[in-house]
Amino acid sequence: MRVRYFAWLRSRLNRAEEDVAVPAGVTTLNGLLDHLITLSPGHAAVFADRTILRAAINQVFADLDSAFTPTDEVAFFPPVTGG
Amino acid sequence: MRVRYFAWLRSRLNRAEEDVAVPAGVTTLNGLLDHLITLSPGHAAVFADRTILRAAINQVFADLDSAFTPTDEVAFFPPVTGG
Amino acid sequence: MSGSIASRVQAEPFEPGAELARFTKAAPGAGAIVSFTGLVRGEDHAGRALTAMTLEHYPGMTEAQVHAMTEEAARRWSLLSVLVIHRFGRLEAGAPIVFVATASPHRRAAFEAADFLMDWLKTKAPFWKLEEGAEGAEWVAAKAEDDQAAARWR
Amino acid sequence: MSGSIASRVQAEPFEPGAELARFTKAAPGAGAIVSFTGLVRGEDHAGRALTAMTLEHYPGMTEAQVHAMTEEAARRWSLLSVLVIHRFGRLEAGAPIVFVATASPHRRAAFEAADFLMDWLKTKAPFWKLEEGAEGAEWVAAKAEDDQAAARWR
């Protein structure tokens, strides 16, 4: 599935999005993060502290314990700082 | 001394100001009002309810128990409604 | 710390947009600018059609009171700049009566100072509204809620 | 109840004064109009000189979130009209970032709705600020005070 990154997650991972093969049994964003940190040391570092991560499923804010399906658009980013 | 009136005090008294001969011994706005109500039935009606009267001495808001001198500019008016 | 503190009490109409444009240009360093515009509504306090109103004021005292408020707001919130414009005389329905603008590094100060200025203008500036409707002219009564709002800032 | 609910998320600059002029004209019946303008300050969060900033956003989600906020504000306060403009991309120091305008018969609703919209834009719209100073670019951290401000409106 396609996973999108914004702000310092994007710049530190050096990519705005990537295709991720979601392992069987992974159904929540926390489960997805458990998988992402295995992809590279860079991923492990960026996703190490989940308290500073925010997420959206299909462009709606979602808690990390939210469930998703492989056709959803998932995004991770830091707390927003607009306005 | 010169006494000024605004808003419905002015329109009901039909004058924006008048010269008032302040009796000896009158030193506060309440004392002045005690005198003003003797001037005419119109004055008596306009100044009957002091809870809806506001005043200024030398263009600064003043309570009705404030003291004034004959050289001061005294004004009576209703609560303000600008803004 | 304040840059520009300005107030105008005038019979002439003014344009809120033009005033905000000018105010924004003259507030370098500001991170937040709040403006308030009060307009003559098309109905009176009882909901009847209103064609116009006349604002009576106390010349001299009005200018002093309004300017003192701007200084008080700039002092309480360390504003970069503040502007108050208040009209008097006859105003048609839809016309702007009052304009307040506040500039500050941060938004909380700009919001609070503008809110404060409006509450004080409603209760401490010597203006009186005479509404003109189909049934004649009527002096507007002061509202207890305005006194309560102003009391928040003591 | 609501006249016009509008929001724009755009790279192009805008003029707060021109926006307020247009908004005021399009809000007949309003007694109170509040505007908020947020600008790029000439210094960063640590007080160092700032030349510009870049606002990253989440295309699609941003527009939906911002529009949902305007509808929420119009619903909570029965506004006559509401407008939000938020820029993204590169902005020079002094440039307007965000503009909020609210129109209502009475001032309390206009003030509260504008205040609410800014608190929600700060915490619920997917924008991220990258500040450019003499020492390079740095992502701005979210502020706990913004979360606390937004929590007032629950």
Side-chain angles (χ1 to χ4, degrees), chain C residues 14-24 33-39 96 98-101, chain D residues 8 14-27 32-37 81 83 85 99-103:
Chain C
F14 63 87
E15 288 277 359
E19 297 297 339
L20 179 61
R22 224 179 338 258
F23 184 80
T24 302
I33 292 176
V34 168
S35 81
F36 177 90
T37 306
L39 306 110
V98 60
F99 182 80
V100 165
Chain D
R8 285 152 38 199
F14 63 88
E15 289 277 359
E19 297 297 340
L20 179 61
R22 227 182 333 261
F23 185 82
T24 302
K25 273 197 192 65
I33 291 176
V34 168
S35 81
F36 178 90
T37 306
S81 43
L83 168 66
I85 305 170
F99 181 80
V100 165
T102 54

mmCIF file of all heavy atoms in Angstrom, chain C residues 14-24 33-39 96 98-101, chain D residues 8 14-27 32-37 81 83 85 99-103:
data_model
loop_
_atom_site.group_PDB
_atom_site.id
_atom_site.type_symbol
_atom_site.label_atom_id
_atom_site.label_comp_id
_atom_site.label_asym_id
_atom_site.label_seq_id
_atom_site.Cartn_x
_atom_site.Cartn_y
_atom_site.Cartn_z
ATOM 1 N N PHE C 14 -15.801 55.816 6.638
ATOM 2 C CA PHE C 14 -14.480 55.213 6.428
ATOM 3 C C PHE C 14 -14.692 53.829 5.836
ATOM 4 O O PHE C 14 -15.795 53.278 5.889
ATOM 5 C CB PHE C 14 -13.680 55.141 7.736
ATOM 6 C CG PHE C 14 -14.303 54.262 8.775
ATOM 7 C CD1 PHE C 14 -14.035 52.889 8.823
ATOM 8 C CD2 PHE C 14 -15.176 54.777 9.715
ATOM 9 C CE1 PHE C 14 -14.623 52.073 9.764
ATOM 10 C CE2 PHE C 14 -15.771 53.970 10.669
ATOM 11 C CZ PHE C 14 -15.504 52.618 10.691
ATOM 12 N N GLU C 15 -13.624 53.280 5.253
ATOM 13 C CA GLU C 15 -13.669 51.960 4.610
ATOM 14 C C GLU C 15 -12.863 50.971 5.443
ATOM 15 O O GLU C 15 -11.628 51.069 5.499
ATOM 16 C CB GLU C 15 -13.049 52.048 3.206
ATOM 17 C CG GLU C 15 -13.873 52.780 2.193
ATOM 18 C CD GLU C 15 -14.931 51.871 1.571
ATOM 19 O OE1 GLU C 15 -14.986 50.670 1.949
ATOM 20 O OE2 GLU C 15 -15.698 52.356 0.723
ATOM 21 N N PRO C 16 -13.503 49.997 6.070
ATOM 22 C CA PRO C 16 -12.757 49.046 6.915
ATOM 23 C C PRO C 16 -11.597 48.372 6.168
ATOM 24 O O PRO C 16 -10.518 48.198 6.734
ATOM 25 C CB PRO C 16 -13.823 48.032 7.322
ATOM 26 C CG PRO C 16 -15.112 48.775 7.221
ATOM 27 C CD PRO C 16 -14.948 49.731 6.086
ATOM 28 N N GLY C 17 -11.826 47.996 4.908
ATOM 29 C CA GLY C 17 -10.772 47.318 4.151
ATOM 30 C C GLY C 17 -9.557 48.208 3.938
ATOM 31 O O GLY C 17 -8.416 47.790 4.125
ATOM 32 N N ALA C 18 -9.811 49.451 3.574
ATOM 33 C CA ALA C 18 -8.708 50.391 3.355
ATOM 34 C C ALA C 18 -7.967 50.653 4.663
ATOM 35 O O ALA C 18 -6.737 50.761 4.688
ATOM 36 C CB ALA C 18 -9.246 51.698 2.767
ATOM 37 N N GLU C 19 -8.726 50.741 5.760
ATOM 38 C CA GLU C 19 -8.089 50.973 7.056
ATOM 39 C C GLU C 19 -7.218 49.786 7.454
ATOM 40 O O GLU C 19 -6.108 49.947 7.961
ATOM 41 C CB GLU C 19 -9.146 51.231 8.142
ATOM 42 C CG GLU C 19 -9.983 52.491 7.924
ATOM 43 C CD GLU C 19 -9.152 53.782 7.964
ATOM 44 O OE1 GLU C 19 -8.051 53.783 8.531
ATOM 45 O OE2 GLU C 19 -9.630 54.790 7.405
ATOM 46 N N LEU C 20 -7.732 48.560 7.227
ATOM 47 C CA LEU C 20 -6.944 47.372 7.586
ATOM 48 C C LEU C 20 -5.681 47.282 6.725
ATOM 49 O O LEU C 20 -4.608 46.923 7.220
ATOM 50 C CB LEU C 20 -7.783 46.100 7.427
ATOM 51 C CG LEU C 20 -7.028 44.795 7.757
ATOM 52 C CD1 LEU C 20 -6.557 44.788 9.217
ATOM 53 C CD2 LEU C 20 -7.904 43.573 7.485
ATOM 54 N N ALA C 21 -5.800 47.620 5.445
ATOM 55 C CA ALA C 21 -4.628 47.580 4.558
ATOM 56 C C ALA C 21 -3.552 48.533 5.072
ATOM 57 O O ALA C 21 -2.377 48.163 5.180
ATOM 58 C CB ALA C 21 -5.049 47.951 3.134
ATOM 59 N N ARG C 22 -3.964 49.751 5.394
ATOM 60 C CA ARG C 22 -3.017 50.754 5.889
ATOM 61 C C ARG C 22 -2.413 50.318 7.221
ATOM 62 O O ARG C 22 -1.212 50.428 7.448
ATOM 63 C CB ARG C 22 -3.770 52.074 6.087
ATOM 64 C CG ARG C 22 -3.027 53.284 5.577
ATOM 65 C CD ARG C 22 -3.769 54.602 5.753
ATOM 66 N NE ARG C 22 -5.200 54.527 5.911
ATOM 67 C CZ ARG C 22 -6.096 54.786 4.948
ATOM 68 N NH1 ARG C 22 -5.686 55.111 3.742
ATOM 69 N NH2 ARG C 22 -7.378 54.730 5.189
ATOM 70 N N PHE C 23 -3.267 49.822 8.101
ATOM 71 C CA PHE C 23 -2.815 49.407 9.433
ATOM 72 C C PHE C 23 -1.806 48.259 9.333
ATOM 73 O O PHE C 23 -0.797 48.235 10.040
ATOM 74 C CB PHE C 23 -4.031 48.956 10.255
ATOM 75 C CG PHE C 23 -3.716 48.602 11.687
ATOM 76 C CD1 PHE C 23 -3.575 49.596 12.647
ATOM 77 C CD2 PHE C 23 -3.566 47.276 12.071
ATOM 78 C CE1 PHE C 23 -3.284 49.264 13.963
ATOM 79 C CE2 PHE C 23 -3.279 46.949 13.381
ATOM 80 C CZ PHE C 23 -3.139 47.947 14.341
ATOM 81 N N THR C 24 -2.075 47.313 8.440
ATOM 82 C CA THR C 24 -1.192 46.153 8.278
ATOM 83 C C THR C 24 0.176 46.596 7.769
ATOM 84 O O THR C 24 1.213 46.131 8.258
ATOM 85 C CB THR C 24 -1.832 45.142 7.306
ATOM 86 O OG1 THR C 24 -3.104 44.757 7.834
ATOM 87 C CG2 THR C 24 -0.967 43.892 7.153
ATOM 88 N N ILE C 33 -2.847 40.294 13.534
ATOM 89 C CA ILE C 33 -3.627 41.533 13.473
ATOM 90 C C ILE C 33 -5.107 41.172 13.532
ATOM 91 O O ILE C 33 -5.588 40.370 12.730
ATOM 92 C CB ILE C 33 -3.315 42.316 12.186
ATOM 93 C CG1 ILE C 33 -1.872 42.844 12.251
ATOM 94 C CG2 ILE C 33 -4.311 43.457 11.979
ATOM 95 C CD1 ILE C 33 -1.406 43.561 11.012
ATOM 96 N N VAL C 34 -5.806 41.750 14.490
ATOM 97 C CA VAL C 34 -7.249 41.531 14.611
ATOM 98 C C VAL C 34 -7.954 42.843 14.300
ATOM 99 O O VAL C 34 -7.498 43.908 14.725
ATOM 100 C CB VAL C 34 -7.621 41.036 16.022
ATOM 101 C CG1 VAL C 34 -9.131 41.092 16.253
ATOM 102 C CG2 VAL C 34 -7.117 39.608 16.236
ATOM 103 N N SER C 35 -9.027 42.763 13.537
ATOM 104 C CA SER C 35 -9.842 43.955 13.312
ATOM 105 C C SER C 35 -11.279 43.660 13.696
ATOM 106 O O SER C 35 -11.754 42.532 13.552
ATOM 107 C CB SER C 35 -9.779 44.407 11.848
ATOM 108 O OG SER C 35 -10.652 43.647 11.041
ATOM 109 N N PHE C 36 -11.944 44.679 14.193
ATOM 110 C CA PHE C 36 -13.376 44.591 14.453
ATOM 111 C C PHE C 36 -14.047 45.737 13.740
ATOM 112 O O PHE C 36 -13.592 46.879 13.825
ATOM 113 C CB PHE C 36 -13.689 44.684 15.949
ATOM 114 C CG PHE C 36 -15.174 44.661 16.216
ATOM 115 C CD1 PHE C 36 -15.826 43.465 16.413
ATOM 116 C CD2 PHE C 36 -15.924 45.835 16.208
ATOM 117 C CE1 PHE C 36 -17.213 43.425 16.603
ATOM 118 C CE2 PHE C 36 -17.300 45.811 16.391
ATOM 119 C CZ PHE C 36 -17.936 44.600 16.594
ATOM 120 N N THR C 37 -15.119 45.452 13.026
ATOM 121 C CA THR C 37 -15.928 46.484 12.394
ATOM 122 C C THR C 37 -17.353 46.369 12.913
ATOM 123 O O THR C 37 -17.943 45.295 12.851
ATOM 124 C CB THR C 37 -15.952 46.323 10.860
ATOM 125 O OG1 THR C 37 -14.605 46.284 10.374
ATOM 126 C CG2 THR C 37 -16.691 47.478 10.203
ATOM 127 N N GLY C 38 -17.879 47.453 13.444
ATOM 128 C CA GLY C 38 -19.283 47.496 13.849
ATOM 129 C C GLY C 38 -20.061 48.273 12.808
ATOM 130 O O GLY C 38 -19.605 49.328 12.365
ATOM 131 N N LEU C 39 -21.201 47.736 12.392
ATOM 132 C CA LEU C 39 -21.988 48.366 11.325
ATOM 133 C C LEU C 39 -23.414 48.640 11.785
ATOM 134 O O LEU C 39 -23.919 47.964 12.689
ATOM 135 C CB LEU C 39 -22.034 47.449 10.092
ATOM 136 C CG LEU C 39 -20.680 46.998 9.559
ATOM 137 C CD1 LEU C 39 -20.483 45.508 9.821
ATOM 138 C CD2 LEU C 39 -20.560 47.265 8.071
ATOM 139 N N PRO C 96 -20.383 51.385 8.288
ATOM 140 C CA PRO C 96 -19.517 51.120 9.441
ATOM 141 C C PRO C 96 -19.602 52.248 10.465
ATOM 142 O O PRO C 96 -19.565 53.428 10.091
ATOM 143 C CB PRO C 96 -18.106 51.051 8.834
ATOM 144 C CG PRO C 96 -18.327 50.747 7.379
ATOM 145 C CD PRO C 96 -19.614 51.449 7.035
ATOM 146 N N VAL C 98 -17.847 51.776 13.760
ATOM 147 C CA VAL C 98 -16.650 51.722 14.587
ATOM 148 C C VAL C 98 -15.686 50.705 13.993
ATOM 149 O O VAL C 98 -16.104 49.698 13.394
ATOM 150 C CB VAL C 98 -17.024 51.360 16.049
ATOM 151 C CG1 VAL C 98 -17.722 50.019 16.137
ATOM 152 C CG2 VAL C 98 -15.811 51.371 16.972
ATOM 153 N N PHE C 99 -14.396 50.991 14.123
ATOM 154 C CA PHE C 99 -13.351 50.095 13.630
ATOM 155 C C PHE C 99 -12.250 50.045 14.674
ATOM 156 O O PHE C 99 -11.793 51.080 15.160
ATOM 157 C CB PHE C 99 -12.790 50.617 12.297
ATOM 158 C CG PHE C 99 -11.735 49.738 11.686
ATOM 159 C CD1 PHE C 99 -12.086 48.603 10.978
ATOM 160 C CD2 PHE C 99 -10.381 50.049 11.817
ATOM 161 C CE1 PHE C 99 -11.108 47.778 10.406
ATOM 162 C CE2 PHE C 99 -9.402 49.242 11.245
ATOM 163 C CZ PHE C 99 -9.767 48.105 10.540
ATOM 164 N N VAL C 100 -11.858 48.833 15.027
ATOM 165 C CA VAL C 100 -10.763 48.625 15.981
ATOM 166 C C VAL C 100 -9.765 47.687 15.328
ATOM 167 O O VAL C 100 -10.165 46.674 14.740
ATOM 168 C CB VAL C 100 -11.289 47.992 17.293
ATOM 169 C CG1 VAL C 100 -10.151 47.431 18.134
ATOM 170 C CG2 VAL C 100 -12.092 49.004 18.101
ATOM 171 N N ALA C 101 -8.485 48.022 15.387
ATOM 172 C CA ALA C 101 -7.456 47.103 14.893
ATOM 173 C C ALA C 101 -6.326 47.039 15.905
ATOM 174 O O ALA C 101 -5.955 48.058 16.510
ATOM 175 C CB ALA C 101 -6.927 47.554 13.537
ATOM 176 N N ARG D 8 -10.296 29.100 1.174
ATOM 177 C CA ARG D 8 -9.334 28.971 0.076
ATOM 178 C C ARG D 8 -7.990 28.561 0.644
ATOM 179 O O ARG D 8 -7.520 29.158 1.614
ATOM 180 C CB ARG D 8 -9.174 30.315 -0.660
ATOM 181 C CG ARG D 8 -10.336 30.667 -1.563
ATOM 182 C CD ARG D 8 -10.547 32.162 -1.769
ATOM 183 N NE ARG D 8 -9.360 32.961 -1.889
ATOM 184 C CZ ARG D 8 -9.346 34.301 -1.707
ATOM 185 N NH1 ARG D 8 -10.468 34.929 -1.385
ATOM 186 N NH2 ARG D 8 -8.247 34.969 -1.838
ATOM 187 N N PHE D 14 -2.219 37.165 -0.812
ATOM 188 C CA PHE D 14 -3.514 37.856 -0.761
ATOM 189 C C PHE D 14 -3.336 39.126 0.054
ATOM 190 O O PHE D 14 -2.361 39.274 0.791
ATOM 191 C CB PHE D 14 -4.605 36.957 -0.158
ATOM 192 C CG PHE D 14 -4.339 36.582 1.278
ATOM 193 C CD1 PHE D 14 -4.771 37.406 2.315
ATOM 194 C CD2 PHE D 14 -3.663 35.429 1.594
ATOM 195 C CE1 PHE D 14 -4.525 37.065 3.644
ATOM 196 C CE2 PHE D 14 -3.403 35.088 2.927
ATOM 197 C CZ PHE D 14 -3.833 35.910 3.942
ATOM 198 N N GLU D 15 -4.290 40.039 -0.095
ATOM 199 C CA GLU D 15 -4.266 41.327 0.607
ATOM 200 C C GLU D 15 -5.360 41.343 1.667
ATOM 201 O O GLU D 15 -6.543 41.371 1.317
ATOM 202 C CB GLU D 15 -4.527 42.468 -0.383
ATOM 203 C CG GLU D 15 -3.399 42.743 -1.347
ATOM 204 C CD GLU D 15 -2.349 43.637 -0.694
ATOM 205 O OE1 GLU D 15 -2.537 44.040 0.482
ATOM 206 O OE2 GLU D 15 -1.352 43.935 -1.361
ATOM 207 N N PRO D 16 -5.001 41.365 2.959
ATOM 208 C CA PRO D 16 -6.042 41.347 4.006
ATOM 209 C C PRO D 16 -7.054 42.484 3.856
ATOM 210 O O PRO D 16 -8.250 42.266 4.031
ATOM 211 C CB PRO D 16 -5.227 41.501 5.296
ATOM 212 C CG PRO D 16 -3.867 40.988 4.953
ATOM 213 C CD PRO D 16 -3.638 41.334 3.517
ATOM 214 N N GLY D 17 -6.584 43.668 3.516
ATOM 215 C CA GLY D 17 -7.499 44.805 3.382
ATOM 216 C C GLY D 17 -8.512 44.597 2.265
ATOM 217 O O GLY D 17 -9.711 44.838 2.435
ATOM 218 N N ALA D 18 -8.027 44.110 1.122
ATOM 219 C CA ALA D 18 -8.932 43.865 -0.011
ATOM 220 C C ALA D 18 -9.923 42.751 0.340
ATOM 221 O O ALA D 18 -11.102 42.815 -0.017
ATOM 222 C CB ALA D 18 -8.122 43.493 -1.253
ATOM 223 N N GLU D 19 -9.448 41.742 1.067
ATOM 224 C CA GLU D 19 -10.339 40.645 1.461
ATOM 225 C C GLU D 19 -11.415 41.139 2.422
ATOM 226 O O GLU D 19 -12.582 40.765 2.308
ATOM 227 C CB GLU D 19 -9.545 39.510 2.115
ATOM 228 C CG GLU D 19 -8.534 38.835 1.193
ATOM 229 C CD GLU D 19 -9.186 38.140 -0.007
ATOM 230 O OE1 GLU D 19 -10.385 37.842 0.040
ATOM 231 O OE2 GLU D 19 -8.464 37.904 -0.999
ATOM 232 N N LEU D 20 -11.011 41.987 3.382
ATOM 233 C CA LEU D 20 -11.997 42.503 4.342
ATOM 234 C C LEU D 20 -13.014 43.396 3.635
ATOM 235 O O LEU D 20 -14.214 43.343 3.943
ATOM 236 C CB LEU D 20 -11.307 43.282 5.469
ATOM 237 C CG LEU D 20 -12.259 43.890 6.504
ATOM 238 C CD1 LEU D 20 -13.079 42.809 7.212
ATOM 239 C CD2 LEU D 20 -11.491 44.728 7.531
ATOM 240 N N ALA D 21 -12.557 44.192 2.679
ATOM 241 C CA ALA D 21 -13.480 45.066 1.936
ATOM 242 C C ALA D 21 -14.532 44.227 1.206
ATOM 243 O O ALA D 21 -15.730 44.502 1.277
ATOM 244 C CB ALA D 21 -12.695 45.931 0.942
ATOM 245 N N ARG D 22 -14.057 43.179 0.524
ATOM 246 C CA ARG D 22 -14.975 42.308 -0.221
ATOM 247 C C ARG D 22 -15.929 41.582 0.735
ATOM 248 O O ARG D 22 -17.129 41.485 0.488
ATOM 249 C CB ARG D 22 -14.151 41.274 -0.995
ATOM 250 C CG ARG D 22 -14.570 41.104 -2.426
ATOM 251 C CD ARG D 22 -13.778 40.048 -3.178
ATOM 252 N NE ARG D 22 -12.439 39.793 -2.706
ATOM 253 C CZ ARG D 22 -11.333 40.299 -3.255
ATOM 254 N NH1 ARG D 22 -11.409 41.112 -4.287
ATOM 255 N NH2 ARG D 22 -10.139 39.988 -2.778
ATOM 256 N N PHE D 23 -15.369 41.074 1.815
ATOM 257 C CA PHE D 23 -16.169 40.324 2.795
ATOM 258 C C PHE D 23 -17.260 41.213 3.401
ATOM 259 O O PHE D 23 -18.402 40.776 3.577
ATOM 260 C CB PHE D 23 -15.244 39.794 3.888
ATOM 261 C CG PHE D 23 -15.924 38.916 4.895
ATOM 262 C CD1 PHE D 23 -16.151 37.572 4.618
ATOM 263 C CD2 PHE D 23 -16.323 39.414 6.124
ATOM 264 C CE1 PHE D 23 -16.772 36.750 5.548
ATOM 265 C CE2 PHE D 23 -16.947 38.598 7.058
ATOM 266 C CZ PHE D 23 -17.173 37.262 6.765
ATOM 267 N N THR D 24 -16.892 42.455 3.718
ATOM 268 C CA THR D 24 -17.848 43.379 4.335
ATOM 269 C C THR D 24 -18.996 43.683 3.375
ATOM 270 O O THR D 24 -20.165 43.705 3.778
ATOM 271 C CB THR D 24 -17.123 44.674 4.752
ATOM 272 O OG1 THR D 24 -16.065 44.335 5.655
ATOM 273 C CG2 THR D 24 -18.071 45.648 5.445
ATOM 274 N N LYS D 25 -18.657 43.911 2.117
ATOM 275 C CA LYS D 25 -19.701 44.189 1.108
ATOM 276 C C LYS D 25 -20.667 43.026 0.958
ATOM 277 O O LYS D 25 -21.841 43.215 0.698
ATOM 278 C CB LYS D 25 -19.058 44.463 -0.256
ATOM 279 C CG LYS D 25 -18.679 45.905 -0.453
ATOM 280 C CD LYS D 25 -18.450 46.233 -1.916
ATOM 281 C CE LYS D 25 -17.798 47.596 -2.035
ATOM 282 N NZ LYS D 25 -16.420 47.612 -1.447
ATOM 283 N N ALA D 26 -20.150 41.810 1.121
ATOM 284 C CA ALA D 26 -20.963 40.617 0.873
ATOM 285 C C ALA D 26 -21.671 40.126 2.133
ATOM 286 O O ALA D 26 -22.170 39.002 2.146
ATOM 287 C CB ALA D 26 -20.080 39.511 0.295
ATOM 288 N N ALA D 27 -21.722 40.945 3.176
ATOM 289 C CA ALA D 27 -22.346 40.507 4.430
ATOM 290 C C ALA D 27 -23.444 41.461 4.861
ATOM 291 O O ALA D 27 -23.384 42.039 5.946
ATOM 292 C CB ALA D 27 -21.281 40.382 5.529
ATOM 293 N N ALA D 32 -21.542 43.057 13.095
ATOM 294 C CA ALA D 32 -20.186 42.881 13.616
ATOM 295 C C ALA D 32 -19.378 42.006 12.676
ATOM 296 O O ALA D 32 -19.831 40.930 12.277
ATOM 297 C CB ALA D 32 -20.246 42.220 14.998
ATOM 298 N N ILE D 33 -18.196 42.491 12.317
ATOM 299 C CA ILE D 33 -17.287 41.704 11.480
ATOM 300 C C ILE D 33 -15.912 41.690 12.155
ATOM 301 O O ILE D 33 -15.355 42.749 12.456
ATOM 302 C CB ILE D 33 -17.189 42.306 10.064
ATOM 303 C CG1 ILE D 33 -18.535 42.110 9.339
ATOM 304 C CG2 ILE D 33 -16.047 41.672 9.274
ATOM 305 C CD1 ILE D 33 -18.601 42.748 7.970
ATOM 306 N N VAL D 34 -15.410 40.496 12.394
ATOM 307 C CA VAL D 34 -14.072 40.361 12.977
ATOM 308 C C VAL D 34 -13.161 39.739 11.928
ATOM 309 O O VAL D 34 -13.567 38.816 11.213
ATOM 310 C CB VAL D 34 -14.101 39.491 14.250
ATOM 311 C CG1 VAL D 34 -12.689 39.094 14.690
ATOM 312 C CG2 VAL D 34 -14.807 40.239 15.376
ATOM 313 N N SER D 35 -11.957 40.268 11.810
ATOM 314 C CA SER D 35 -10.963 39.641 10.937
ATOM 315 C C SER D 35 -9.709 39.340 11.727
ATOM 316 O O SER D 35 -9.357 40.062 12.666
ATOM 317 C CB SER D 35 -10.623 40.545 9.751
ATOM 318 O OG SER D 35 -9.687 41.539 10.121
ATOM 319 N N PHE D 36 -9.062 38.262 11.363
ATOM 320 C CA PHE D 36 -7.745 37.929 11.918
ATOM 321 C C PHE D 36 -6.796 37.726 10.757
ATOM 322 O O PHE D 36 -7.124 37.036 9.791
ATOM 323 C CB PHE D 36 -7.792 36.646 12.751
ATOM 324 C CG PHE D 36 -6.423 36.284 13.269
ATOM 325 C CD1 PHE D 36 -5.989 36.748 14.492
ATOM 326 C CD2 PHE D 36 -5.552 35.507 12.503
ATOM 327 C CE1 PHE D 36 -4.709 36.460 14.951
ATOM 328 C CE2 PHE D 36 -4.274 35.213 12.947
ATOM 329 C CZ PHE D 36 -3.852 35.689 14.181
ATOM 330 N N THR D 37 -5.629 38.346 10.833
ATOM 331 C CA THR D 37 -4.580 38.134 9.852
ATOM 332 C C THR D 37 -3.340 37.622 10.572
ATOM 333 O O THR D 37 -2.881 38.236 11.536
ATOM 334 C CB THR D 37 -4.218 39.455 9.129
ATOM 335 O OG1 THR D 37 -5.398 40.031 8.583
ATOM 336 C CG2 THR D 37 -3.199 39.197 8.024
ATOM 337 N N SER D 81 -21.766 35.083 7.620
ATOM 338 C CA SER D 81 -20.793 34.586 6.646
ATOM 339 C C SER D 81 -19.445 34.388 7.320
ATOM 340 O O SER D 81 -19.177 34.943 8.400
ATOM 341 C CB SER D 81 -20.685 35.496 5.420
ATOM 342 O OG SER D 81 -20.654 36.846 5.778
ATOM 343 N N LEU D 83 -15.146 33.407 6.211
ATOM 344 C CA LEU D 83 -14.132 33.210 5.176
ATOM 345 C C LEU D 83 -12.811 32.827 5.827
ATOM 346 O O LEU D 83 -12.408 33.437 6.824
ATOM 347 C CB LEU D 83 -13.932 34.515 4.384
ATOM 348 C CG LEU D 83 -12.719 34.576 3.445
ATOM 349 C CD1 LEU D 83 -12.854 33.576 2.297
ATOM 350 C CD2 LEU D 83 -12.543 36.001 2.886
ATOM 351 N N ILE D 85 -8.771 32.018 4.518
ATOM 352 C CA ILE D 85 -7.760 31.882 3.461
ATOM 353 C C ILE D 85 -6.476 31.415 4.144
ATOM 354 O O ILE D 85 -6.085 31.970 5.177
ATOM 355 C CB ILE D 85 -7.485 33.227 2.758
ATOM 356 C CG1 ILE D 85 -8.774 33.837 2.221
ATOM 357 C CG2 ILE D 85 -6.458 33.040 1.639
ATOM 358 C CD1 ILE D 85 -8.592 35.275 1.738
ATOM 359 N N PHE D 99 -5.915 34.266 6.876
ATOM 360 C CA PHE D 99 -6.910 35.319 7.075
ATOM 361 C C PHE D 99 -8.226 34.655 7.442
ATOM 362 O O PHE D 99 -8.659 33.707 6.777
ATOM 363 C CB PHE D 99 -7.075 36.128 5.787
ATOM 364 C CG PHE D 99 -8.059 37.266 5.888
ATOM 365 C CD1 PHE D 99 -7.699 38.467 6.476
ATOM 366 C CD2 PHE D 99 -9.350 37.135 5.389
ATOM 367 C CE1 PHE D 99 -8.602 39.526 6.566
ATOM 368 C CE2 PHE D 99 -10.257 38.185 5.476
ATOM 369 C CZ PHE D 99 -9.881 39.381 6.059
ATOM 370 N N VAL D 100 -8.825 35.132 8.501
ATOM 371 C CA VAL D 100 -10.135 34.628 8.937
ATOM 372 C C VAL D 100 -11.059 35.824 9.078
ATOM 373 O O VAL D 100 -10.663 36.842 9.646
ATOM 374 C CB VAL D 100 -10.015 33.903 10.300
ATOM 375 C CG1 VAL D 100 -11.378 33.713 10.941
ATOM 376 C CG2 VAL D 100 -9.312 32.571 10.141
ATOM 377 N N ALA D 101 -12.269 35.737 8.553
ATOM 378 C CA ALA D 101 -13.255 36.799 8.756
ATOM 379 C C ALA D 101 -14.596 36.165 9.109
ATOM 380 O O ALA D 101 -14.975 35.131 8.541
ATOM 381 C CB ALA D 101 -13.392 37.675 7.514
ATOM 382 N N THR D 102 -15.282 36.789 10.066
ATOM 383 C CA THR D 102 -16.576 36.279 10.528
ATOM 384 C C THR D 102 -17.553 37.449 10.606
ATOM 385 O O THR D 102 -17.191 38.533 11.046
ATOM 386 C CB THR D 102 -16.449 35.648 11.927
ATOM 387 O OG1 THR D 102 -15.849 36.608 12.809
ATOM 388 C CG2 THR D 102 -15.596 34.400 11.894
ATOM 389 N N ALA D 103 -18.785 37.208 10.167
ATOM 390 C CA ALA D 103 -19.816 38.249 10.214
ATOM 391 C C ALA D 103 -21.032 37.716 10.955
ATOM 392 O O ALA D 103 -21.463 36.584 10.729
ATOM 393 C CB ALA D 103 -20.230 38.665 8.807
#
